[in-house]
Amino acid sequence: MAGGSSSSSSSSSTGPSLVDSLFQRSLDDLIKSLRSQPVGAEPALLSRALAEIRREIRSPDPDTKAVALQKLTYLSSIHGLDASWAAFHALELLPSPSPLHKRLAYLAASLSFHPSTTDVLPLATHQLRKDLSPSSPPNFSSLALHLLSLSASPDLARHLAPDILPLLSPRASSTTTNTKNNNNNSSPLRPKAAVATLHALSLCPDVVPLLVKPLVDCLSSPDPRVVSAAVGAFAELVSATDPSPYLPLAPEFYRLLTDSRNNWVLIKLLKIFARLAPLEPRLAARLVDPLCDLIRRSSAQSLVLECVRTLFSGFPDHDRALRLAVDKVKEFLTNDDDPNLRYLGLRALTILGPRNSWGVVESRDSVIQSLADPDPNIRHEALRLIMGMVFDTNVVEISVMLVNYAMKSDPVFANEMLDAVLTTCGRNVYELIVDFDWYVSLLGEMARNPHCAKGEEIERQLVDIGLRVRDARPELVRVARDLLIDPALLGNPFLWRILSAAAWVSGEYVEFSTNWLELVEALLQPRTSLLPPLVRAVYIQAVFKVLAFCFSSYIDQLEASQVSSLGHSTTVGGSTIECNAASANCLSDDITGTESADGFATADKPASLLSLLEKKDPFFTRESLKRILYLIETAVGPLSENDDVEVQERARNVLGLIHMLQEIPAWKTEEEGFKKDKDNGVGKIMNLMQAMFSEEIGPVSVNAQKRVPVPEGLVLEENLSDLAMILTEGDIAPSMSISFTLRSHQHMETKDEAAPSVQSTYLLAEHRKRHGLYYLPAEKDETELNDFPRAYDPLLPVSHSDATEDLVKLTEQSLIPRKVKHTKPRPIVLKMDEGDGVLPSALTTVKESKDDMLSGAIHEVLLGNEGKPSSSQKGSSNKSSGRRMKGVSDNSESVPQSKENLDLGDRENRSSSSRRSQHRSHGKGRHRSSQNNEEKEEKSHRNSTRSGHHHERHEHRQRGETPLNAVPQAPAIQDLLL
Amino acid sequence: MIHFVLLISRQGKVRLTKWYSPYSQKERSKVIRELGRIILTRAPKLCNFVEWRGYKVVYRRYASLYFCACIDPDDNELEILEIIHHYVEILDRYFGSVCELDLIFNFHKAYYILDEILIAGELQESSKKNVARLVAAQDALVETAKEQTGSTSNMIAQATK
């Protein structure tokens, strides 16, 4: 509107004149000029045309206005210009008696009106009502219905609902006589009215009582177009809202399903039944046979696909039908000519879900092959399907296959696969992973993928596993070492994050490392200059930790040998020292080995690692320490001048420590002096450092803070003004890290208790003593933190194991012969109660509540005031459960017999529709005989007896109409289905 | 239901847009740009379905034109392909071997025909004959109206009186 007024001011002098009308450019002229313009001139041309339109559209002459509106419509729909300012002009033209103008005006309105932003929309109410009235020409009403179904606002829908009603009822045909459809005895407007009704219903639930009944009546109309439109409307309603109110209509839908031969209608009906069948088991039992028939007979793939989907989603218990559907999907998947069918087949299998995973297992070859399909969408679906089938029994095979395949695949899809593996394996704190050694090495392998761009997630998981899974740490350190010593990886920016994690892991869990010198060399290799500063800082910090560990181990080792030699002066002591010397030699050998070449024997590493760990006694010589010191000093030295503060600070820390050590006189003297000075020299410093790093870092639940109970007498809202007094006393409140918690652990036998009063702990204790009021109770804190719940969740799906054992075979060919599987129990994974891996499952409820009103209203109309669907179902639950039992047993029996039983069941019932059901059993009888003979024969039978069928269906329809009136009033689902 | 129908040429020019769900003009342009990027870059002989913002877009190429329809995730893709084909056949019958130029210069007619086939994103008329007849009837009405009022001489007479 604002635009309109501005243009009016500019053109008010000339105004829309006769000249404008006479020489107005037509739409053709406009299109031609737009097409003939040079490439860059379009915006200028468009704005000129728009200015022209703004002038012309205000003309009093309807022709001029109409042409202007037409041009504007063109520009807005094709060139995306905003036409909302002209909404009023479109309204002006709506009442025009000329069909041409009216059509243009409605077109413009339907393209540009927006239900929530078009503020002139209420002004259209009167005109729409006039055009909808039975006295106006049907094509006018049709235009109005179109507009109503596209742009109606809730208010408009409420006001015009009574006007739709006559169009929806069959009587409309007699009043608005259409020349062509006389024989059909139905107005062409009725289907349109049905669809407009759908729109009005979903917009404004108030009109349900008025409109639903006529819509239900449409289902029994003789005009197939009306039926089609009504079924479409119900399909939309059922899928958008709670389906239970529509259960009473099931017999009607069932009749249509067996009668109709129109594929469009059948597809919609199947959609409805897919939603209704889970609510009513009797319905499913009735539907299985017609659905199977459709799958076998129909030549329309769209219909077959819909049958398959309906069976997969709504009939998980009917094995026989599922078998047929799965076979059909297999046909889809192996169809090399049609990528659509392959894609849809994969999607259909995804619906099948874990409950019937045998269906996927059977078509595993096609699914695996689809990973290499030329179409990225098909590959994506195959991956999604495979990942949906991962359980703890097959996660190893599938992951290994995908990671291997990612090596060969194109970069985008490779990362998609890596992402899928990472997400699935990391789900719910690694609930699927039993063998963490394997998983950690898999993470290492992923990093080796040249396309890998998932550094961030791999980094997170490496660190996370380090924190949570103690048993995985040795392997983690080994994987980290392999990553760190490879100079080639440093050049790949995507891997920096992974390297950062590797450096952190090898620094934090340095005690599991086997060759510290090699580690330090790897961390300080020249190519680390390629790393970004933050990662470099992590590297240097790792060096610091390694250094501290080496020294403190050396001192412990000296002490131990001293004690033992003192204790057993003659016999055992000698051997220990000998042993020490031997292994020290071994280490120095290692060092020279790595110096000369990188060809370090990795094969015997685990063995030596184990032996070292068993003794808990790493060995160092003074020479090796000196060498490490020298190496660090030369490599880190230049970094103390680095531009980045993080790098600089950490480098200076390391250098500071080294200088401090070197200044202590004991360093220069012999080993004897070294160890004797433990209490005040090198030993003390190193113990301090080591104590600092030996505290274990654990994961913290997001909700940890919340779980700490507020102590009695503590008022959290109280003013903290007296805190100022404490702060002025000059002591420093210790800063606790936010994301990590320090906790002492009992399992590390050696160092923990060796450092009784580290300075900071001491200060903290002092502070606590003085200001106990502001501290939370200590004991409670401690126990809570130590009491981590076990992660291994016994709830893992046991029932799947059978089905998935087969899936395991799926990857036989791509399996790497791995080491022992499941021989050791799953290690403990630290996991918090909540907040860690919470999977939101309440997503669906949001939509439900929104549609509650609509489904509630419809429920009321269709079921009367009988109450909630649950109660109506309960009324028949006894019967239905018995029926269900029967149905299940039927399924296990042979085909013809089950039909017999069902039909018998029909006859037993004292229902009003017994006549019909009997009739149906006749019809089935014919089928049955053909089926009894042979499946193959049935195909030819179908072709030859098609006409016979037709006849039979006709009969159906005629008879089916008699009990119709009773249907909508029936309180619950009709006896037909019992 | 169908949320919108787009006709995009191979060069990325829009030939027809019909929105059955409310989108603002801004969103419309964005949607067209996004889908153009996704669909026009897909190689031939791939499947006709694309996932997009939780919906599915079914597209099919006829000569230089891509016909796209955006549908709900639980709709039947093959059915929509058939609807698209249905529309193209009717266009072909109406214009007599339709080409892109026909749609450019008769864009409103393409809309009218589409409106006879789809209403509010639902298929309403599956018979080609009926659609052709309905469109022809409306055209005839409009033509007679045009002859009565639309001639230039009439216009001059009206304007000068």
Side-chain angles (χ1 to χ4, degrees):
Chain A
M1 287 295 128
S5 62
S6 74
S7 84
S8 72
S9 64
S10 65
S11 61
S12 58
S13 54
T14 53
S17 65
L18 173 65
V19 183
D20 282 332
S21 309
L22 278 178
F23 299 103
Q24 185 183 26
R25 288 201 294 172
S26 72
L27 178 62
D28 274 9
D29 299 337
L30 178 67
I31 296 171
K32 276 177 193 150
S33 72
L34 275 172
R35 284 176 61 79
S36 60
Q37 44 96 19
V39 182
E42 191 178 281
L45 208 61
L46 284 180
S47 63
R48 200 150 8 105
L50 199 61
E52 197 178 277
I53 290 167
R54 278 181 198 279
R55 201 169 60 242
E56 291 164 3
I57 209 166
R58 297 173 60 249
S59 155
D61 175 39
D63 284 318
T64 315
K65 196 191 272 295
V67 171
L69 198 60
Q70 188 182 23
K71 287 194 285 187
L72 182 64
T73 309
Y74 176 80
L75 292 182
S76 87
S77 68
I78 306 298
H79 294 275
L81 295 188
D82 182 37
S84 57
W85 57 270
F88 185 72
H89 299 292
L91 271 182
E92 278 183 318
L93 213 56
L94 279 185
S96 162
S98 151
L100 175 66
H101 295 163
K102 200 183 257 299
R103 214 175 171 190
L104 282 175
Y106 269 112
L107 179 62
S110 70
L111 287 174
S112 66
F113 281 14
H114 192 277
S116 53
T117 55
T118 304
D119 45 4
V120 296
L121 199 55
L123 299 180
T125 314
H126 176 67
Q127 186 55 41
L128 282 171
R129 179 168 291 152
K130 218 170 130 192
D131 285 338
L132 284 174
S133 80
S135 54
S136 68
N139 53 339
F140 285 10
S141 307
S142 146
L143 290 171
L145 284 174
H146 265 286
L147 182 61
L148 202 57
S149 62
L150 284 183
S151 321
S153 63
D155 278 343
L156 202 63
R158 187 178 300 119
H159 289 135
L160 290 176
D163 301 283
I164 305 177
L165 191 57
L167 297 175
L168 197 57
S169 57
R171 272 172 291 117
S173 56
S174 55
T175 48
T176 61
T177 44
N178 189 306
T179 45
K180 279 128 205 157
N181 280 310
N182 272 342
N183 53 347
N184 224 341
N185 194 25
S186 175
S187 152
L189 292 176
R190 210 172 162 204
K192 292 185 186 184
V195 178
T197 304
L198 159 72
H199 197 66
L201 287 178
S202 53
L203 274 178
C204 170
D206 308 358
V207 301
V208 165
L210 189 66
L211 291 177
V212 165
K213 280 258 167 73
L215 194 59
V216 171
D217 291 340
C218 285
L219 288 176
S220 49
S221 160
D223 182 352
R225 291 182 309 133
V226 176
V227 175
S228 165
V231 169
F234 276 110
E236 208 57 44
L237 284 172
V238 170
S239 72
T241 59
D242 172 26
S244 56
Y246 304 95
L247 261 182
L249 294 175
E252 191 61 27
F253 292 138
Y254 184 82
R255 180 185 65 78
L256 288 169
L257 183 73
T258 46
D259 285 358
S260 177
R261 301 196 341 156
N262 181 341
N263 285 345
W264 307 101
V265 175
L266 286 175
I267 288 175
K268 299 281 181 205
L269 284 169
L270 289 172
K271 273 191 200 312
I272 296 174
F273 281 126
R275 298 269 296 175
L276 292 183
L279 301 175
E280 179 55 73
R282 291 171 294 166
L283 197 55
R286 281 303 289 200
L287 283 169
V288 166
D289 291 330
L291 283 184
C292 290
D293 273 0
L294 281 178
I295 289 186
R296 286 200 200 95
R297 298 151 167 271
S298 177
S299 56
Q301 300 286 23
S302 54
L303 182 59
V304 172
L305 173 74
E306 200 58 46
C307 286
V308 167
R309 280 187 185 167
T310 306
L311 284 173
F312 280 176
S313 63
F315 301 74
D317 302 322
H318 295 75
D319 290 335
R320 191 167 50 84
L322 285 184
R323 149 88 18 230
L324 186 68
V326 167
D327 288 345
K328 205 74 200 176
V329 170
K330 274 194 228 163
E331 275 174 40
F332 283 1
L333 287 179
T334 49
N335 190 326
D336 291 334
D337 305 329
D338 194 346
N340 288 346
L341 289 183
R342 292 203 300 272
Y343 176 85
L344 295 171
L346 289 171
R347 282 197 76 110
L349 283 182
T350 315
I351 305 173
L352 199 55
R355 188 162 162 198
N356 283 303
S357 54
W358 57 269
V360 184
V361 174
E362 284 193 358
S363 30
R364 64 184 177 218
D365 289 344
S366 320
V367 174
I368 297 285
Q369 275 165 21
S370 302
L371 283 177
D373 202 276
D375 188 338
N377 289 4
I378 292 180
R379 290 198 299 252
H380 182 79
E381 281 311 316
L383 179 64
R384 190 190 292 183
L385 177 62
I386 290 175
M387 292 329 277
M389 293 291 141
V390 174
F391 308 112
D392 56 342
T393 46
N394 61 8
V395 63
V396 174
E397 279 75 8
I398 291 183
S399 305
V400 167
M401 177 201 63
L402 289 178
V403 170
N404 284 339
Y405 187 66
M407 287 284 191
K408 294 174 267 174
S409 178
D410 66 298
V412 177
F413 191 57
N415 277 304
E416 221 171 277
M417 283 192 278
L418 292 185
D419 191 43
V421 173
L422 285 170
T423 325
T424 309
C425 292
R427 191 172 59 209
N428 260 339
V429 201
Y430 317 102
E431 65 176 2
L432 291 175
I433 308 291
V434 175
D435 184 354
F436 275 90
D437 287 355
W438 160 76
Y439 185 56
V440 166
S441 55
L442 185 76
L443 288 177
E445 261 175 62
M446 287 188 199
R448 302 274 173 172
N449 189 315
H451 310 305
C452 173
K454 296 283 158 202
E456 212 161 307
E457 179 62 14
I458 296 178
E459 175 204 25
R460 193 192 69 75
Q461 293 200 359
L462 282 176
V463 173
D464 199 42
I465 291 176
L467 297 183
R468 289 177 194 272
V469 192
R470 179 166 298 137
D471 295 354
R473 284 174 194 166
E475 181 67 12
L476 201 57
V477 169
R478 198 189 64 73
V479 168
R481 174 231 171 233
D482 288 351
L483 290 173
L484 287 176
I485 62 171
D486 189 347
L489 300 182
L490 288 163
N492 183 350
F494 289 114
L495 297 184
W496 286 341
R497 304 289 301 264
I498 303 176
L499 290 175
S500 154
W504 185 85
V505 162
S506 45
E508 186 63 28
Y509 307 116
V510 59
E511 65 266 24
F512 297 111
S513 185
T514 47
N515 191 338
W516 295 272
L517 183 67
E518 180 196 61
L519 182 60
V520 171
E521 274 176 339
L523 288 170
L524 294 173
Q525 60 183 295
R527 273 174 70 93
T528 51
S529 58
L530 297 169
L531 293 172
L534 277 177
V535 179
R536 271 199 115 173
V538 177
Y539 267 62
I540 296 169
Q541 188 71 1
V543 170
F544 194 106
K545 288 175 183 171
V546 175
L547 179 66
F549 174 77
C550 290
F551 266 84
S552 96
S553 306
Y554 178 57
I555 290 161
D556 288 346
Q557 171 192 330
L558 284 180
E559 222 167 277
S561 66
Q562 196 178 22
V563 167
S564 59
S565 63
L566 283 178
H568 323 276
S569 52
T570 48
T571 52
V572 196
S575 68
T576 319
I577 291 167
E578 224 170 84
C579 176
N580 273 0
S583 35
N585 280 340
C586 196
L587 188 80
S588 55
D589 279 350
D590 280 356
I591 291 163
T592 49
T594 37
E595 267 178 336
S596 57
D598 220 33
F600 183 69
T602 44
D604 56 354
K605 225 155 183 208
S608 67
L609 172 72
L610 273 183
S611 65
L612 280 177
L613 281 180
E614 269 168 21
K615 288 182 203 160
K616 265 288 169 201
D617 204 3
F619 303 107
F620 294 91
T621 60
R622 224 173 107 80
E623 277 63 43
S624 67
L625 282 186
K626 269 188 172 164
R627 201 176 146 64
I628 289 179
L629 272 190
Y630 174 73
L631 192 72
I632 295 175
E633 210 178 351
T634 46
V636 177
L639 294 178
S640 61
E641 305 292 328
N642 194 287
D643 287 342
D644 188 85
V645 280
E646 282 288 331
V647 176
Q648 197 188 49
E649 192 180 346
R650 310 250 168 141
R652 280 177 186 264
N653 281 347
V654 176
L655 291 174
L657 178 68
I658 292 176
H659 291 153
M660 197 160 62
L661 289 174
Q662 283 172 342
E663 270 167 32
I664 291 170
W667 179 249
K668 298 184 182 99
T669 64
E670 286 304 300
E671 277 189 12
E672 286 298 310
F674 200 124
K675 61 195 170 194
K676 273 181 187 155
D677 274 317
K678 182 180 179 288
D679 287 336
N680 47 19
V682 180
K684 187 172 180 189
I685 296 172
M686 289 328 294
N687 260 340
L688 203 76
M689 289 298 161
Q690 188 54 26
M692 197 165 91
F693 291 127
S694 66
E695 297 282 345
E696 192 176 336
I697 296 175
V700 182
S701 162
V702 190
N703 301 323
Q705 182 78 39
K706 267 188 231 159
R707 279 204 297 262
V708 179
V710 180
E712 264 179 69
L714 174 63
V715 187
L716 285 175
E717 283 85 13
E718 201 179 11
N719 197 335
L720 294 178
S721 59
D722 54 340
L723 199 64
M725 180 195 66
I726 298 161
L727 287 179
T728 50
E729 280 175 36
D731 51 16
I732 306 127
S735 67
M736 298 290 281
S737 156
I738 293 166
S739 54
F740 295 115
T741 153
L742 297 171
R743 76 191 174 89
S744 58
H745 50 90
Q746 295 86 349
H747 309 278
M748 296 283 289
E749 300 94 318
T750 44
K751 297 139 217 164
D752 280 12
E753 308 308 319
S757 65
V758 177
Q759 208 170 8
S760 60
T761 344
Y762 171 75
L763 278 176
L764 182 58
E766 278 299 300
H767 193 270
R768 180 192 284 270
K769 215 183 284 171
R770 279 161 67 190
H771 309 293
L773 174 65
Y774 295 100
Y775 279 92
L776 302 172
E779 316 77 35
K780 196 164 283 175
D781 218 340
E782 218 79 355
T783 50
E784 278 222 351
L785 285 171
N786 281 334
D787 225 50
F788 286 114
R790 300 219 154 191
Y792 183 57
D793 199 349
L795 290 177
L796 282 171
V798 187
S799 59
H800 295 148
S801 54
D802 281 347
T804 49
E805 263 169 18
D806 287 341
L807 193 60
V808 168
K809 292 176 197 153
L810 177 146
T811 53
E812 270 168 347
Q813 71 279 20
S814 63
L815 265 186
I816 285 182
R818 276 198 338 92
K819 38 183 174 172
V820 273
K821 224 187 88 192
H822 294 248
T823 46
K824 47 185 173 183
R826 186 175 193 259
I828 297 162
V829 183
L830 296 182
K831 194 162 97 170
M832 308 302 145
D833 289 344
E834 338 115 46
D836 247 352
V838 193
L839 295 175
S841 60
L843 278 176
T844 47
T845 51
V846 182
K847 198 185 171 194
E848 295 290 334
S849 66
K850 187 188 152 203
D851 292 321
D852 248 6
M853 268 177 72
L854 176 57
S855 65
I858 288 176
H859 189 258
E860 228 163 72
V861 171
L862 293 180
L863 291 180
N865 293 326
E866 290 271 322
K868 297 293 149 208
S870 57
S871 67
S872 72
Q873 274 178 335
K874 210 177 286 171
S876 58
S877 68
N878 285 338
K879 268 186 271 175
S880 81
S881 64
R883 184 67 51 190
R884 210 181 312 164
M885 296 273 284
K886 198 167 190 177
V888 170
S889 66
D890 285 347
N891 282 333
S892 57
E893 285 164 28
S894 61
V895 179
Q897 200 169 354
S898 77
K899 287 197 174 183
E900 189 95 60
N901 278 348
L902 281 173
D903 289 340
L904 276 177
D906 282 337
R907 271 184 220 134
E908 279 162 14
N909 273 316
R910 41 91 228 173
S911 76
S912 62
S913 60
S914 66
R915 197 161 49 104
R916 208 194 323 170
S917 67
Q918 213 168 352
H919 171 76
R920 181 158 293 120
S921 76
H922 268 300
K924 288 252 175 64
R926 226 177 285 171
H927 285 307
R928 200 193 312 154
S929 61
S930 70
Q931 255 173 8
N932 261 345
N933 290 341
E934 238 173 273
E935 291 283 324
K936 278 177 202 165
E937 209 177 290
E938 199 219 30
K939 271 193 177 172
S940 59
H941 170 82
R942 187 221 314 171
N943 292 334
S944 62
T945 57
R946 183 146 262 183
S947 57
H949 259 306
H950 191 77
H951 176 66
E952 179 190 323
R953 284 211 168 108
H954 233 71
E955 267 182 301
H956 259 298
R957 185 178 297 178
Q958 284 168 352
R959 298 205 184 190
E961 269 152 35
T962 36
L964 267 188
N965 299 339
V967 172
Q969 282 82 11
I973 193 158
Q974 232 198 359
D975 285 337
L976 159 74
L977 293 165
L978 286 175
Chain B
M1 70 177 270
I2 299 176
H3 292 280
F4 53 79
V5 174
L6 300 179
L7 265 65
I8 307 177
S9 77
R10 208 152 50 103
Q11 291 79 31
K13 295 257 186 213
V14 184
R15 295 304 178 210
L16 181 140
T17 57
K18 181 83 183 178
W19 309 85
Y20 297 105
S21 296
Y23 288 85
S24 73
Q25 191 67 53
K26 219 182 203 173
E27 288 165 340
R28 290 178 182 182
S29 309
K30 203 173 153 213
V31 167
I32 292 170
R33 247 180 292 126
E34 256 178 53
L35 282 179
R37 242 196 328 267
I38 297 174
I39 289 172
L40 298 181
T41 52
R42 274 175 70 79
K45 291 190 183 166
L46 301 184
C47 72
N48 296 91
F49 318 119
V50 173
E51 262 185 81
W52 171 81
R53 293 197 201 170
Y55 295 107
K56 289 185 292 193
V57 176
V58 179
Y59 71 93
R60 185 150 179 182
R61 186 177 158 181
Y62 290 89
S64 60
L65 264 189
Y66 285 85
F67 287 68
C68 322
C70 171
I71 53 174
D72 282 326
D74 57 346
D75 277 334
N76 191 320
E77 294 93 338
L78 294 176
E79 182 195 11
I80 305 298
L81 272 182
E82 281 168 38
I83 291 180
I84 289 176
H85 190 68
H86 185 62
Y87 180 43
V88 173
E89 279 185 335
I90 292 171
L91 285 177
D92 202 49
R93 190 175 288 196
Y94 182 82
F95 288 107
S97 81
V98 66
C99 68
E100 202 178 329
L101 273 181
D102 288 325
L103 297 183
I104 293 171
F105 284 101
N106 296 292
F107 92 105
H108 48 287
K109 291 198 171 152
Y111 275 111
Y112 297 148
I113 294 173
L114 185 62
D115 281 349
E116 291 302 331
I117 299 170
L118 293 174
I119 175 169
E122 304 282 341
L123 179 81
Q124 62 152 341
E125 182 55 78
S126 53
S127 149
K128 286 170 212 132
K129 244 184 230 161
N130 272 348
V131 174
R133 207 163 49 200
L134 285 168
V135 174
Q138 294 213 17
D139 280 352
L141 267 177
V142 169
E143 278 310 313
T144 50
K146 233 184 202 167
E147 275 164 24
Q148 284 164 8
T149 60
S151 68
T152 330
S153 55
N154 259 354
M155 229 165 73
I156 294 173
Q158 266 181 1
T160 49
K161 79 182 160 194

